Amino acid sequence: QIEFNKLLKKESASIVEYRFKCKDGSYKWIELTAVNRINDPEINGVLLNYHDITERKQSEDTMKIQSEILSNITEAVYLVSMMDGIIVYTNTEFEKLFGYSEGEMVGEEVSIVNAPTDNDPEETAKEIISILIETGKWEGEVRNIKKDGSLFWCHARVSVFDHPQFGEVLISVHRDITAQKAAEQTLVEHQVNLETLVSERTRELEQKNQELDEAMKVFVGRELTIRNLQKKLQSMSGGAR
């Protein structure tokens, strides 16, 4: 009654949303559009138009829930339109990770997060999207670039998602693994150094063994020579008698 009385005081359209309980116990959202035509002699009344907006309200609720989840998740998340490869959403953690301010990345091409490598960033993005179209998901290590130009490594999990607002999108979850990659590189370098030291030590031992063999040969040769001389001397001594 209050809303109706307000309507009678103005001539512009009024739009009100109501939640009704149906006979079967379910609920529906109805959008009521009312136009005051009391002063119109041909109508002399109020035009009412009812429209079922239950699906729209459910989509809005779903979007609110998803937005809350994405905003509060502790990992870096962003959404990319499958249609044109444009970033349509970034959560706070993703913006912090890449050094951008709130909403600054939205509207940019996804290739801005890919660090230059032997392959062009756009080509890298196309390759990943191609795999996603075929399998629906992709996971791997990617080298990214921050706004200030610094490079870092991330582990990315990407999947295709039908978003109620943005349509078909890629949802990508990034985790910074720069420290892990550095530790792995250090481990590899230590392993290489260890293998080099072992190889050098092995060569040294082989060389020492070879020198020892040569020395033994010389020693044995001298021993044989001495024994032969002793035999000759003994033989000469026996003949002299």
Side-chain angles (χ1 to χ4, degrees), residues 166-179:
F166 304 121
E168 196 169 34
V169 298
L170 304 178
I171 178 168
S172 182
V173 181
H174 280 234
R175 178 169 55 87
D176 190 345
I177 59 170
T178 306

Side-chain angles (χ1 to χ4, degrees), residues 146-160:
K146 295 179 183 285
K147 182 181 179 180
D148 62 8
S150 56
L151 306 178
F152 66 109
W153 283 95
C154 279
H155 179 272
R157 301 193 311 275
V158 189
S159 57
V160 180

Side-chain angles (χ1 to χ4, degrees), residues 99-126:
Y100 288 85
S101 57
E102 182 180 355
E104 188 178 358
M105 303 178 78
V106 174
E108 298 289 344
E109 292 187 0
V110 65
S111 56
I112 67 165
V113 304
N114 298 326
T117 59
D118 293 336
N119 297 326
D120 182 77
E122 292 185 3
E123 288 299 320
T124 301
K126 287 179 181 178

Side-chain angles (χ1 to χ4, degrees), residues 166-213:
F166 304 121
E168 196 169 34
V169 298
L170 304 178
I171 178 168
S172 182
V173 181
H174 280 234
R175 178 169 55 87
D176 190 345
I177 59 170
T178 306
Q180 177 184 327
K181 292 288 286 186
E184 289 174 356
Q185 182 61 33
T186 300
L187 184 61
V188 170
E189 291 174 356
H190 284 328
Q191 183 69 24
V192 170
N193 290 336
L194 180 60
E195 289 176 356
T196 301
L197 289 173
V198 170
S199 179
E200 290 176 352
R201 184 57 178 164
T202 300
R203 285 198 299 269
E204 290 177 1
L205 290 173
E206 288 176 349
Q207 185 177 354
K208 293 294 184 182
N209 287 334
Q210 186 176 357
E211 292 174 355
L212 182 59
D213 287 342

